[in-house]
Amino acid sequence: MSTVEELQKRVKELEAQLASVQGNAGPARQKIDVMSSEVVDSNPYSRLMALKRMGIVDNYEKIREMSVAVVGVGGVGSVTAEMLTRCGIGKLILFDYDKVELANMNRLFFQPHQAGLSKVDAAASTLQNINPDVTIDAYNYNITTVENFQKFCDTIRTGSLTGGPVNLVLSCVDNFEARMAINTACNELNQKWFESGVSENAVSGHIQFIAPGQTACFACAPPLVVASKIDEKTLKREGVCAASLPTTMGIVAGFLVQNTLKYLLEFGTVTHYLGYSALTDFFPIMALKPNPQCEDMYCRLRREEHNLRPVVEVATEVTEDSAPVHADNEWGISLVDENTPEDDDCSHLKLVDGVQVAYSVPVDNSTPESSTGGAVAASELSLEELMQQMKSM
Amino acid sequence: MVDEGTRKTLSSIPLLQTKAGPRDKELWTTRLKEEYQALIKYVQNNKAADNDWFRLESDKTGTKWFGKCWYVHNLLKYEFDLEFDIPITYPTTAPELALPGLDGKTAKMYRGGKICLTDHFKPLWARNVPRFGIAHAMALGLGPWLAVEIPELIEKGVVTYQEKSEEAK
């Protein structure tokens, strides 16, 4: 019934309407060149710059030179990105390949009208509106695939405001594969990063600082879990994959950004590992040393490089020991100072009470679950022939 | 925590030897050959046991896999498209098998139709790196998932029988 011209006109009208509804009339405030500490209603940075006057931070405005990559813009990542945006971070680089769904609305940040948009685009537009001073790059792809991984590495390596490596990578992803991909990239690039996570039952979480060679990498041990004090038998897993709470995610994002700020602006102490158990309000912290036998070749390499450098900080004494004192200690609330006797569980990790590895992996390569099948014999056939054989079955 | 049947199936799938991922050039080709050998053996076993339940093939690089799997319920055969990518972290991390046709139809799935595996699968996989391959992921991951989920989805009417799929291949 309509001609192409009519339809094109209609599209234009609708686009104009959409833009006005979304408030795309440009950012609500002008960009600000230099952070001012002047205390006036109109200065978005006055309360942050007050940190200097109070002697907490020496150089708050340095944050404008900092670039941070946030991988995963979900329940934790979006809040993390918003906090950094409001803090006036210089540049944010967002990675995610997911879309906003109504099922995400139990978390913070995203709004129902954004359903269907890519998370990175939706986030970038909201964040840009909150603070036009932040440079925001958004990448909508899965970093674990072969073709995207290289792009991811290149972006981390050259993504800063000055074209160099970013200052920090924040992992806010929700799966083991993506964490391992970030770990691989950061070990290779010698890039410092934070891992963060919330358990699938929504009642525990953690953050972990990973400086390749200096602290345990994500592959140094099986994933760490905070004891949730839930009897596994009472945990019903039928019918669902994962639960989530805005509270736990907000708390973890808060810890993540707090430690990010401490790292970037050099104040306070950056925690290597901080766990959180919601049911008991229990927050174990500990330092983690790299595993000399880590499966990741670059982790071992970075450790050797690190050991060759003169020790600057006292915080990292490497001691090897092997006393599995992990029995069944009632894990009381205890602050752990870094000089407490090590109680090793997973050979090199000095795990505090209340934190365990998710599973154990045998050190030797023997006794796999299915040892009777034998190994594949070297095949006479070429790969193409095997592919053909499989195809014709 | 693997039941007897699965354990038996598992034990007849040959183990892989080469620890190599898609970024490892020549070694990856070696690994890929092992993957195909294990898969061929597994499908042969399934056929011999009258329990043939999937077909898979990959692109040339061996990083993109696609195929079909099917499940017989009350004498009717329900067929599903199957796909997954091999992540750069493979074989340290297991492949994330996806049934895109069922995306959004069950809570036991992540985005894109990636099946949600039990708590036991990942530790089991981690303990068997690099010996487990795609065939093991099928036997340990997708097989049990289909057995639990499909009858339920059929009962709920979310999955319905389609005449045509019977003659495919």
Side-chain angles (χ1 to χ4, degrees):
Chain A
M1 70 173 203
S2 312
T3 67
V4 175
E5 287 74 29
E6 282 169 354
L7 287 172
Q8 281 173 340
K9 194 171 156 236
R10 183 78 183 127
V11 167
K12 279 221 170 70
E13 284 169 14
L14 289 171
E15 277 177 349
Q17 266 181 36
L18 188 64
S20 69
V21 170
Q22 287 178 336
N24 279 3
R29 73 160 167 90
Q30 295 301 303
K31 289 194 182 189
I32 296 172
D33 276 341
V34 180
M35 278 188 174
S36 148
S37 43
E38 194 189 356
V39 184
V40 285
D41 297 356
S42 57
N43 178 8
Y45 298 118
S46 62
R47 300 295 169 190
L48 292 165
M49 294 293 275
L51 289 165
K52 284 171 61 167
R53 294 194 188 180
M54 292 205 176
I56 305 291
V57 183
D58 288 338
N59 47 356
Y60 191 85
E61 63 277 12
K62 215 178 127 201
I63 199 162
R64 293 288 293 269
E65 296 157 27
M66 300 293 174
S67 309
V68 171
V70 177
V71 190
V73 190
V76 174
S78 61
V79 177
T80 296
E82 178 173 345
M83 287 179 176
L84 289 169
T85 299
R86 291 183 186 274
C87 284
I89 191 86
K91 182 174 178 182
L92 268 184
I93 306 175
L94 309 175
F95 296 90
D96 204 303
Y97 68 102
D98 216 357
K99 287 194 164 77
V100 180
E101 288 174 13
L102 288 179
N104 303 141
M105 292 308 139
N106 70 319
R107 278 89 113 184
L108 306 172
F109 189 75
F110 289 115
Q111 301 194 16
H113 70 82
Q114 293 171 313
L117 298 175
S118 81
K119 284 186 176 171
V120 287
D121 289 338
S125 114
T126 305
L127 297 172
Q128 202 68 85
N129 203 38
I130 291 172
N131 188 343
D133 299 333
V134 181
T135 305
I136 300 174
D137 285 357
Y139 295 97
N140 189 9
Y141 57 69
N142 175 358
I143 63 161
T144 71
T145 66
V146 180
E147 61 268 37
N148 293 335
F149 183 72
Q150 194 52 51
K151 288 193 274 177
F152 173 66
C153 288
D154 292 342
T155 306
I156 297 302
R157 198 167 46 80
T158 61
S160 82
L161 284 171
T162 51
V166 297
N167 297 93
L168 208 53
V169 174
L170 304 181
S171 162
C172 305
V173 298
D174 62 358
N175 65 88
F176 183 60
E177 294 73 21
R179 288 189 173 92
M180 285 301 261
I182 296 168
N183 191 61
T184 303
C186 290
N187 276 337
E188 288 180 20
L189 298 169
N190 205 2
Q191 169 69 54
K192 290 181 175 137
W193 65 290
F194 271 98
E195 139 69 7
S196 74
V198 172
S199 64
E200 292 202 329
N201 62 15
V203 289
S204 66
H206 68 271
I207 63 162
Q208 182 179 343
F209 178 59
I210 300 175
Q214 296 172 50
T215 69
C217 87
F218 193 69
C220 278
L224 301 176
V225 291
V226 185
S228 58
K229 284 224 159 175
I230 297 175
D231 185 352
E232 277 296 321
K233 288 179 208 104
T234 67
L235 193 61
K236 295 197 171 69
R237 295 197 129 262
E238 283 98 65
V240 282
C241 280
S244 65
L245 278 169
T247 47
T248 314
M249 292 186 153
I251 287 165
V252 168
F255 279 130
L256 180 61
V257 178
Q258 198 78 290
N259 278 279
T260 297
L261 293 173
K262 289 193 285 182
Y263 172 77
L264 294 177
L265 299 176
E266 298 170 314
F267 66 100
T269 311
V270 176
T271 302
H272 286 187
Y273 180 95
L274 187 155
Y276 167 52
S277 164
L279 298 187
T280 48
D281 276 342
F282 172 56
F283 300 84
I285 61 167
M286 62 183 162
L288 291 166
K289 299 284 164 286
N291 175 359
Q293 270 96 46
C294 182
E295 289 280 307
D296 189 311
M297 187 185 80
Y298 280 93
C299 172
R300 300 195 304 270
L301 180 69
R302 298 298 170 222
R303 184 174 168 273
E304 281 164 29
E305 289 169 1
H306 177 71
N307 287 350
L308 288 176
R309 282 192 293 270
V311 181
V312 190
E313 287 165 304
V314 206
T316 53
E317 85 278 25
V318 180
T319 27
E320 312 251 336
D321 68 298
S322 55
V325 198
H326 224 271
D328 46 13
N329 252 326
E330 258 301 302
W331 41 271
I333 298 164
S334 60
L335 280 176
V336 175
D337 93 32
E338 285 167 356
N339 299 317
T340 42
E342 308 83 337
D343 53 330
D344 269 15
D345 183 38
C346 199
S347 60
H348 306 91
L349 295 166
K350 301 186 270 177
L351 298 183
V352 291
D353 287 342
V355 181
Q356 331 152 345
V357 285
Y359 44 81
S360 63
V361 174
V363 181
D364 60 333
N365 277 0
S366 63
T367 61
E369 259 81 0
S370 69
S371 49
T372 53
V376 281
S379 175
E380 303 284 296
L381 301 172
S382 72
L383 179 58
E384 287 71 28
E385 287 166 321
L386 286 167
M387 283 179 169
Q388 202 46 51
Q389 188 184 343
M390 181 75 193
K391 208 170 177 173
S392 61
M393 286 185 90
Chain B
M1 277 274 289
V2 179
D3 66 74
E4 259 327 291
T6 311
R7 189 176 290 276
K8 201 160 159 259
T9 312
L10 208 54
S11 67
S12 54
I13 304 172
L15 296 170
L16 286 69
Q17 292 182 309
T18 308
K19 186 177 177 187
R23 295 204 300 155
D24 295 321
K25 304 269 184 292
E26 281 116 62
L27 272 180
W28 173 240
T29 308
T30 312
R31 169 84 192 189
L32 207 49
K33 280 177 72 172
E34 295 177 7
E35 293 282 2
Y36 268 102
Q37 286 173 268
L39 276 166
I40 289 166
K41 182 75 172 80
Y42 182 36
V43 173
Q44 284 169 346
N45 291 348
N46 289 342
K47 284 186 165 182
D50 198 22
N51 180 32
D52 194 20
W53 67 277
F54 74 89
R55 284 294 177 277
L56 264 181
E57 54 183 293
S58 72
D59 69 348
K60 258 194 216 142
T61 67
T63 59
K64 292 200 184 309
W65 290 74
F66 45 93
K68 291 190 181 308
C69 61
W70 52 92
Y71 187 81
V72 177
H73 184 72
N74 292 338
L75 303 175
L76 293 175
K77 182 174 154 188
Y78 297 82
E79 195 174 82
F80 308 97
D81 286 333
L82 166 67
E83 62 177 43
F84 56 92
D85 289 327
I86 296 291
I88 59 112
T89 47
Y90 189 80
T92 301
T93 65
E96 296 180 281
L97 310 174
L99 305 175
L102 294 180
D103 191 15
K105 293 184 175 174
T106 158
K108 295 287 272 293
M109 242 175 199
Y110 298 112
R111 64 185 157 236
K114 288 175 181 169
I115 63 167
C116 170
L117 294 165
T118 68
D119 263 2
H120 313 294
F121 177 76
K122 287 192 176 179
L124 196 58
W125 182 276
R127 275 195 285 272
N128 287 280
V129 174
R131 293 175 296 268
F132 277 6
I134 293 165
H136 300 86
M138 294 293 286
L140 272 172
L142 188 59
W145 190 93
L146 290 174
V148 172
E149 295 304 313
I150 300 305
E152 204 183 304
L153 290 173
I154 294 168
E155 230 160 80
K156 282 187 192 156
V158 178
V159 166
T160 50
Y161 177 67
Q162 280 164 349
E163 199 66 48
K164 247 170 53 187
S165 62
E166 194 65 31
E167 283 307 306
K169 282 208 174 163

